[in-house]
Protein backbone atom coordinates (compact mmCIF):
# COMPACT_ATOMS: atom_id res chain seq x y z
CA UNK A 1 0.00 0.00 0.00
CA UNK A 2 1.30 3.47 -0.88
CA UNK A 3 0.96 5.29 2.48
CA UNK A 4 2.18 8.65 1.15
CA UNK A 5 -0.32 8.69 -1.72
CA UNK A 6 -3.02 7.55 0.69
CA UNK A 7 -2.16 10.32 3.16
CA UNK A 8 -2.41 12.89 0.34
CA UNK A 9 -5.77 11.54 -0.76
CA UNK A 10 -7.18 11.99 2.75
CA UNK A 11 -5.38 15.25 3.53
CA UNK A 12 -7.40 17.58 1.32
CA UNK A 13 -5.80 20.91 0.48
CA UNK A 14 -8.84 23.10 -0.16
CA UNK A 15 -8.38 26.47 -1.81
CA UNK A 16 -9.24 28.24 1.47
CA UNK A 17 -6.67 26.18 3.40
CA UNK A 18 -4.11 26.89 0.67
CA UNK A 19 -4.66 30.65 0.81
CA UNK A 20 -4.71 30.65 4.64
CA UNK A 21 -1.34 28.81 4.59
CA UNK A 22 0.03 31.53 2.32
CA UNK A 23 -1.47 34.20 4.56
CA UNK A 24 0.24 32.74 7.65
CA UNK A 25 3.62 33.51 6.02
CA UNK A 26 2.72 37.22 6.33
CA UNK A 27 2.08 37.91 10.04
CA UNK A 28 0.85 41.44 9.23
CA UNK A 29 -1.94 40.04 7.02
CA UNK A 30 -5.49 40.46 8.36
CA UNK A 31 -7.10 37.90 6.08
CA UNK A 32 -8.69 40.43 3.69
CA UNK A 33 -7.43 38.64 0.60
CA UNK A 34 -8.71 35.27 1.87
CA UNK A 35 -12.14 36.80 2.42
CA UNK A 36 -12.17 38.38 -1.04
CA UNK A 37 -11.09 35.14 -2.68
CA UNK A 38 -13.81 33.21 -0.82
CA UNK A 39 -16.39 35.50 -2.38
CA UNK A 40 -14.91 35.03 -5.86
CA UNK A 41 -14.94 31.26 -5.32
CA UNK A 42 -18.58 31.44 -4.23
CA UNK A 43 -19.46 33.27 -7.47
CA UNK A 44 -17.63 30.59 -9.48
CA UNK A 45 -19.51 27.77 -7.73
CA UNK A 46 -22.80 29.51 -8.51
CA UNK A 47 -21.89 29.97 -12.19
CA UNK A 48 -20.63 26.39 -12.40
CA UNK A 49 -23.93 25.05 -11.13
CA UNK A 50 -25.93 27.34 -13.47
CA UNK A 51 -23.82 26.35 -16.50
CA UNK A 52 -24.30 22.67 -15.66
CA UNK A 53 -28.05 23.16 -15.47
CA UNK A 54 -28.28 25.32 -18.62
CA UNK A 55 -28.53 22.38 -21.05
CA UNK A 56 -31.12 20.63 -18.91
CA UNK A 57 -33.15 23.81 -18.49
CA UNK A 58 -33.29 24.13 -22.26
CA UNK A 59 -34.34 20.50 -22.73
CA UNK A 60 -37.23 20.80 -20.30
CA UNK A 61 -38.30 24.10 -21.79
CA UNK A 62 -37.17 26.52 -19.10
CA UNK A 63 -34.92 28.58 -21.30
CA UNK A 64 -35.96 31.41 -23.55
CA UNK A 65 -37.62 34.64 -22.69
CA UNK A 66 -39.90 33.32 -19.95
CA UNK A 67 -39.90 30.24 -17.73
CA UNK A 68 -42.86 28.08 -16.76
CA UNK A 69 -43.85 30.49 -14.02
CA UNK A 70 -44.04 33.22 -16.64
CA UNK A 71 -40.95 34.87 -15.11
CA UNK A 72 -38.35 36.33 -17.38
CA UNK A 73 -35.23 34.13 -17.70
CA UNK A 74 -31.99 36.00 -17.36
CA UNK A 75 -29.24 35.13 -19.79
CA UNK A 76 -26.42 33.31 -18.03
CA UNK A 77 -23.85 36.04 -18.61
CA UNK A 78 -26.17 38.68 -17.13
CA UNK A 79 -27.01 36.43 -14.18
CA UNK A 80 -23.33 35.60 -13.57
CA UNK A 81 -22.47 39.29 -13.61
CA UNK A 82 -25.11 40.08 -10.97
CA UNK A 83 -23.87 37.25 -8.77
CA UNK A 84 -20.24 38.38 -8.92
CA UNK A 85 -21.06 42.07 -8.38
CA UNK A 86 -23.16 41.25 -5.31
CA UNK A 87 -20.64 38.74 -3.92
CA UNK A 88 -17.74 41.16 -4.38
CA UNK A 89 -19.55 44.13 -2.82
CA UNK A 90 -20.78 42.05 0.13
CA UNK A 91 -17.22 40.85 0.80
CA UNK A 92 -16.60 44.35 2.17
CA UNK A 93 -13.12 44.16 0.66
CA UNK A 94 -13.56 45.98 -2.67
CA UNK A 95 -13.66 49.60 -3.83
CA UNK A 96 -13.99 49.39 -7.61
CA UNK A 97 -15.34 46.64 -9.84
CA UNK A 98 -14.90 46.50 -13.62
CA UNK A 99 -16.94 43.89 -15.45
CA UNK A 100 -17.04 42.98 -19.13
CA UNK A 101 -20.82 43.20 -18.86
CA UNK A 102 -20.96 46.80 -17.61
CA UNK A 103 -20.02 49.89 -19.58
CA UNK A 104 -19.06 51.84 -16.44
CA UNK A 105 -17.04 50.79 -13.39
CA UNK A 106 -18.96 50.11 -10.16
CA UNK A 107 -17.76 52.24 -7.23
CA UNK A 108 -18.61 50.53 -3.95
CA UNK A 109 -20.38 52.73 -1.38
CA UNK A 110 -18.16 53.98 1.45
CA UNK A 111 -19.63 51.79 4.23
CA UNK A 112 -18.81 48.58 2.32
CA UNK A 113 -15.49 49.64 0.86
CA UNK A 114 -12.24 47.67 1.08
CA UNK A 115 -8.73 47.87 -0.30
CA UNK A 116 -9.07 45.79 -3.48
CA UNK A 117 -10.26 46.48 -7.05
CA UNK A 118 -11.48 43.54 -9.11
CA UNK A 119 -11.60 43.44 -12.91
CA UNK A 120 -13.45 40.46 -14.36
CA UNK A 121 -15.30 38.80 -17.19
CA UNK A 122 -18.06 36.85 -15.43
CA UNK A 123 -18.71 34.43 -18.30
CA UNK A 124 -16.14 34.56 -21.07
CA UNK A 125 -16.92 32.55 -24.21
CA UNK A 126 -20.65 32.75 -23.53
CA UNK A 127 -21.49 32.43 -27.24
CA UNK A 128 -20.41 28.79 -26.77
CA UNK A 129 -22.93 27.96 -24.04
CA UNK A 130 -25.54 26.33 -26.24
CA UNK A 131 -23.16 23.75 -27.69
CA UNK A 132 -21.72 22.68 -24.35
CA UNK A 133 -18.19 24.00 -24.94
CA UNK A 134 -16.05 24.92 -21.91
CA UNK A 135 -16.39 28.54 -20.86
CA UNK A 136 -15.05 30.45 -17.88
CA UNK A 137 -14.74 33.39 -15.52
CA UNK A 138 -11.54 35.48 -15.64
CA UNK A 139 -10.46 37.92 -12.93
CA UNK A 140 -7.62 40.18 -11.86
CA UNK A 141 -7.09 41.98 -8.55
CA UNK A 142 -5.43 45.35 -7.90
CA UNK A 143 -4.89 47.28 -4.70
CA UNK A 144 -6.63 50.67 -4.42
CA UNK A 145 -4.29 53.61 -3.64
CA UNK A 146 -6.59 55.41 -1.22
CA UNK A 147 -9.66 53.57 0.14
CA UNK A 148 -11.26 56.93 0.98
CA UNK A 149 -10.97 58.13 -2.57
CA UNK A 150 -11.01 55.36 -5.18
CA UNK A 151 -10.60 56.61 -8.77
CA UNK A 152 -10.48 55.03 -12.23
CA UNK A 153 -6.69 55.39 -12.08
CA UNK A 154 -6.74 52.51 -9.60
CA UNK A 155 -7.83 50.12 -12.35
CA UNK A 156 -6.20 51.82 -15.34
CA UNK A 157 -2.83 50.55 -14.19
CA UNK A 158 -0.15 48.47 -15.83
CA UNK A 159 -0.79 44.72 -15.63
CA UNK A 160 2.42 44.17 -13.72
CA UNK A 161 0.79 45.86 -10.72
CA UNK A 162 -1.84 43.13 -10.42
CA UNK A 163 -1.69 41.36 -7.06
CA UNK A 164 -3.49 38.24 -8.16
CA UNK A 165 -5.28 36.81 -11.17
CA UNK A 166 -7.01 33.65 -12.20
CA UNK A 167 -9.80 31.93 -14.02
CA UNK A 168 -12.40 29.31 -13.38
CA UNK A 169 -13.17 26.94 -16.25
CA UNK A 170 -16.59 25.35 -16.48
CA UNK A 171 -15.76 22.24 -18.48
CA UNK A 172 -15.82 18.48 -18.02
CA UNK A 173 -14.71 19.43 -14.51
CA UNK A 174 -14.73 22.83 -12.84
CA UNK A 175 -11.15 24.05 -12.49
CA UNK A 176 -9.96 27.17 -10.66
CA UNK A 177 -6.46 28.41 -11.57
CA UNK A 178 -4.85 31.09 -9.42
CA UNK A 179 -1.69 33.13 -9.14
CA UNK A 180 -0.85 35.52 -6.34
CA UNK A 181 2.53 36.26 -7.89
CA UNK A 182 4.25 33.17 -6.48
CA UNK A 183 3.61 30.56 -9.15
CA UNK A 184 0.37 29.10 -10.46
CA UNK A 185 -1.85 26.55 -8.75
CA UNK A 186 -4.92 24.71 -10.02
CA UNK A 187 -7.86 23.45 -7.96
CA UNK A 188 -10.68 21.16 -9.07
CA UNK A 189 -14.19 21.37 -7.67
CA UNK A 190 -15.24 18.20 -5.86
CA UNK A 191 -19.01 18.50 -6.39
CA UNK A 192 -19.78 16.10 -3.53
CA UNK A 193 -17.87 18.33 -1.07
CA UNK A 194 -18.58 21.65 -2.78
CA UNK A 195 -14.86 22.44 -2.32
CA UNK A 196 -12.04 23.27 -4.71
CA UNK A 197 -9.17 20.84 -3.98
CA UNK A 198 -5.55 21.44 -5.01
CA UNK A 199 -5.02 19.11 -7.98
CA UNK A 200 -2.43 20.98 -10.06
CA UNK A 201 0.24 22.35 -7.71
CA UNK A 202 2.88 24.71 -9.09
CA UNK A 203 1.90 24.56 -12.78
CA UNK A 204 4.81 25.11 -15.18
CA UNK A 205 4.18 25.52 -18.89
CA UNK A 206 6.49 23.43 -21.15
CA UNK A 207 9.32 25.60 -22.53
CA UNK A 208 8.26 24.81 -26.10
CA UNK A 209 4.99 23.36 -27.31
CA UNK A 210 3.54 21.42 -30.20
CA UNK A 211 0.24 23.29 -30.53
CA UNK A 212 -0.75 26.67 -31.97
CA UNK A 213 -4.17 28.16 -31.33
CA UNK A 214 -5.63 30.94 -33.46
CA UNK A 215 -8.76 31.82 -35.44
CA UNK A 216 -7.36 31.12 -38.91
CA UNK A 217 -10.54 32.47 -40.47
CA UNK A 218 -9.01 35.93 -40.01
CA UNK A 219 -5.81 34.99 -41.92
CA UNK A 220 -6.51 37.18 -44.98
CA UNK A 221 -6.35 40.27 -42.76
CA UNK A 222 -3.25 39.37 -40.68
CA UNK A 223 -0.04 41.40 -40.69
CA UNK A 224 3.28 39.97 -41.98
CA UNK A 225 4.78 38.61 -38.71
CA UNK A 226 1.59 36.79 -37.66
CA UNK A 227 1.16 35.30 -41.14
CA UNK A 228 4.82 34.15 -41.25
CA UNK A 229 4.60 32.68 -37.76
CA UNK A 230 1.53 30.58 -38.56
CA UNK A 231 3.13 29.50 -41.85
CA UNK A 232 6.17 28.30 -39.86
CA UNK A 233 3.91 26.36 -37.48
CA UNK A 234 2.59 24.45 -40.50
CA UNK A 235 5.78 24.29 -42.60
CA UNK A 236 8.70 24.43 -40.11
CA UNK A 237 11.97 25.50 -41.67
CA UNK A 238 14.18 23.69 -39.13
CA UNK A 239 13.09 20.15 -40.04
CA UNK A 240 10.94 19.77 -36.92
CA UNK A 241 7.38 18.40 -37.09
CA UNK A 242 4.55 20.81 -37.85
CA UNK A 243 2.54 21.99 -34.86
CA UNK A 244 -1.06 20.84 -34.35
CA UNK A 245 -3.85 23.42 -34.53
CA UNK A 246 -6.37 23.51 -31.68
CA UNK A 247 -8.85 26.39 -31.41
CA UNK A 248 -11.94 26.32 -29.24
CA UNK A 249 -12.88 30.00 -29.47
CA UNK A 250 -13.29 30.24 -25.71
CA UNK A 251 -10.25 31.96 -24.21
CA UNK A 252 -10.31 30.19 -20.86
CA UNK A 253 -10.38 26.77 -22.51
CA UNK A 254 -7.70 27.66 -25.09
CA UNK A 255 -5.43 29.20 -22.45
CA UNK A 256 -5.97 26.33 -20.00
CA UNK A 257 -4.86 23.81 -22.63
CA UNK A 258 -1.88 26.02 -23.53
CA UNK A 259 -0.85 26.27 -19.86
CA UNK A 260 -0.98 22.50 -19.32
CA UNK A 261 0.29 21.18 -22.69
CA UNK A 262 2.41 24.10 -23.90
CA UNK A 263 2.30 25.91 -27.24
CA UNK A 264 0.99 29.32 -28.18
CA UNK A 265 -2.36 31.11 -28.17
CA UNK A 266 -2.71 34.08 -30.53
CA UNK A 267 -5.36 36.71 -30.95
CA UNK A 268 -3.48 39.09 -33.24
CA UNK A 269 -4.36 42.45 -34.70
CA UNK A 270 -5.74 42.37 -38.20
CA UNK A 271 -6.80 44.88 -40.83
CA UNK A 272 -10.40 44.84 -39.59
CA UNK A 273 -9.50 44.94 -35.86
CA UNK A 274 -6.21 46.83 -35.47
CA UNK A 275 -6.29 46.26 -31.69
CA UNK A 276 -7.31 42.61 -31.87
CA UNK A 277 -10.43 41.46 -30.04
CA UNK A 278 -9.48 40.63 -26.48
CA UNK A 279 -9.86 43.12 -23.63
CA UNK A 280 -6.79 44.28 -21.77
CA UNK A 281 -8.09 44.48 -18.21
CA UNK A 282 -9.97 41.22 -17.77
CA UNK A 283 -8.66 38.94 -20.56
CA UNK A 284 -5.14 39.96 -21.61
CA UNK A 285 -3.71 40.96 -18.19
CA UNK A 286 -4.92 38.06 -16.01
CA UNK A 287 -3.91 35.45 -18.62
CA UNK A 288 -0.54 37.14 -19.21
CA UNK A 289 0.15 37.23 -15.46
CA UNK A 290 -0.66 33.51 -15.18
CA UNK A 291 1.52 32.67 -18.19
CA UNK A 292 4.54 34.54 -16.85
CA UNK A 293 4.10 32.99 -13.42
CA UNK A 294 4.05 29.54 -15.05
CA UNK A 295 7.33 30.27 -16.88
CA UNK A 296 5.85 31.39 -20.22
CA UNK A 297 5.58 34.79 -21.88
CA UNK A 298 2.90 37.18 -23.12
CA UNK A 299 3.56 39.73 -25.89
CA UNK A 300 1.34 42.24 -27.68
CA UNK A 301 3.27 42.43 -30.95
CA UNK A 302 5.03 45.55 -29.62
CA UNK A 303 5.83 44.94 -25.94
CA UNK A 304 5.52 42.70 -22.90
CA UNK A 305 1.76 42.52 -22.37
CA UNK A 306 1.95 43.30 -18.62
CA UNK A 307 3.74 46.60 -19.39
CA UNK A 308 0.67 48.01 -21.15
CA UNK A 309 -1.16 50.83 -19.39
CA UNK A 310 -4.79 50.89 -20.56
CA UNK A 311 -6.41 54.27 -21.07
CA UNK A 312 -9.97 52.95 -21.20
CA UNK A 313 -11.80 50.29 -19.18
CA UNK A 314 -12.72 48.11 -22.14
CA UNK A 315 -9.59 48.69 -24.23
CA UNK A 316 -8.44 45.85 -26.50
CA UNK A 317 -4.98 44.55 -27.38
CA UNK A 318 -3.48 41.93 -29.66
CA UNK A 319 -1.99 39.07 -27.62
CA UNK A 320 0.46 36.21 -28.17
CA UNK A 321 0.95 34.06 -25.09
CA UNK A 322 2.25 30.65 -24.14
CA UNK A 323 5.49 28.66 -24.00
CA UNK A 324 8.63 30.74 -23.58
CA UNK A 325 10.37 29.58 -26.79
CA UNK A 326 7.25 29.84 -28.96
CA UNK A 327 6.58 33.44 -27.91
CA UNK A 328 10.29 34.20 -28.39
CA UNK A 329 9.90 33.18 -32.04
CA UNK A 330 7.03 35.55 -32.72
CA UNK A 331 8.85 38.35 -30.87
CA UNK A 332 11.79 37.87 -33.23
CA UNK A 333 9.49 38.17 -36.28
CA UNK A 334 7.99 41.45 -35.02
CA UNK A 335 11.46 42.76 -34.12
CA UNK A 336 12.71 41.95 -37.64
CA UNK A 337 9.76 43.78 -39.19
CA UNK A 338 10.32 46.85 -37.01
CA UNK A 339 13.91 47.21 -38.32
P1 LIG B 1 -17.74 35.43 -26.58
O1 LIG B 1 -17.77 35.69 -25.09
O2 LIG B 1 -18.54 36.41 -27.38
O3 LIG B 1 -18.06 34.00 -26.90
O4 LIG B 1 -16.21 35.69 -27.06
C1 LIG B 1 -15.20 34.89 -26.58
C2 LIG B 1 -13.88 35.57 -26.73
O5 LIG B 1 -13.90 36.84 -26.15
C3 LIG B 1 -12.73 34.73 -26.16
O6 LIG B 1 -13.12 33.90 -25.11
C4 LIG B 1 -12.21 33.96 -27.35
O7 LIG B 1 -10.85 33.64 -27.24
C5 LIG B 1 -12.48 34.88 -28.50
O8 LIG B 1 -13.57 35.71 -28.12
C6 LIG B 1 -12.85 34.14 -29.77
O9 LIG B 1 -13.03 35.05 -30.78
P2 LIG B 1 -13.31 34.60 -32.31
O10 LIG B 1 -14.68 33.99 -32.32
O11 LIG B 1 -13.20 35.86 -33.10
O12 LIG B 1 -12.26 33.59 -32.70
Amino acid sequence: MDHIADAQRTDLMTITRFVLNEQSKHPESRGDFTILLNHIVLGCKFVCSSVNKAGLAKLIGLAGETNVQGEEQKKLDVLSNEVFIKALISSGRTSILVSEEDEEATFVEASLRGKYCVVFDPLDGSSNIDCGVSIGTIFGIYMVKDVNEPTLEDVLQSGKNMLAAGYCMYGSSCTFVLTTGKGVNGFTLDPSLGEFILTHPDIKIPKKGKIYSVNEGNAMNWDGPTASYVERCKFPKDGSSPKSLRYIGSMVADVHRTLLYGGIFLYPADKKSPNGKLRVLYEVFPMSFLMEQAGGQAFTGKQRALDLIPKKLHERSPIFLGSYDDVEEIKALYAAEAK
Side-chain angles (χ1 to χ4, degrees), residues 124-128 215 247 249-251 265 267 277-278 283:
D124 188 70
S126 53
S127 63
N128 292 296
N215 184 344
Y247 189 69
S250 172
M251 190 186 196
F265 169 83
Y267 209 110
K277 175 181 182 189
L278 301 180
E283 291 181 311

Side-chain angles (χ1 to χ4, degrees), residues 77 100-101 121 123-129 134-136 138 213-218 247-255 265-267 270 277-279 283 287 316:
D77 38 9
E100 193 266 349
E101 287 289 323
D121 187 343
L123 202 53
D124 188 70
S126 53
S127 63
N128 292 296
I129 290 174
S134 299
I135 48 183
I138 312 174
S213 186
V214 65
N215 184 344
E216 284 217 56
N218 297 328
Y247 189 69
I248 299 168
S250 172
M251 190 186 196
V252 174
D254 281 317
V255 169
F265 169 83
L266 310 74
Y267 209 110
D270 63 45
K277 175 181 182 189
L278 301 180
R279 314 292 183 139
E283 291 181 311
M287 295 312 202
R316 300 169 197 264

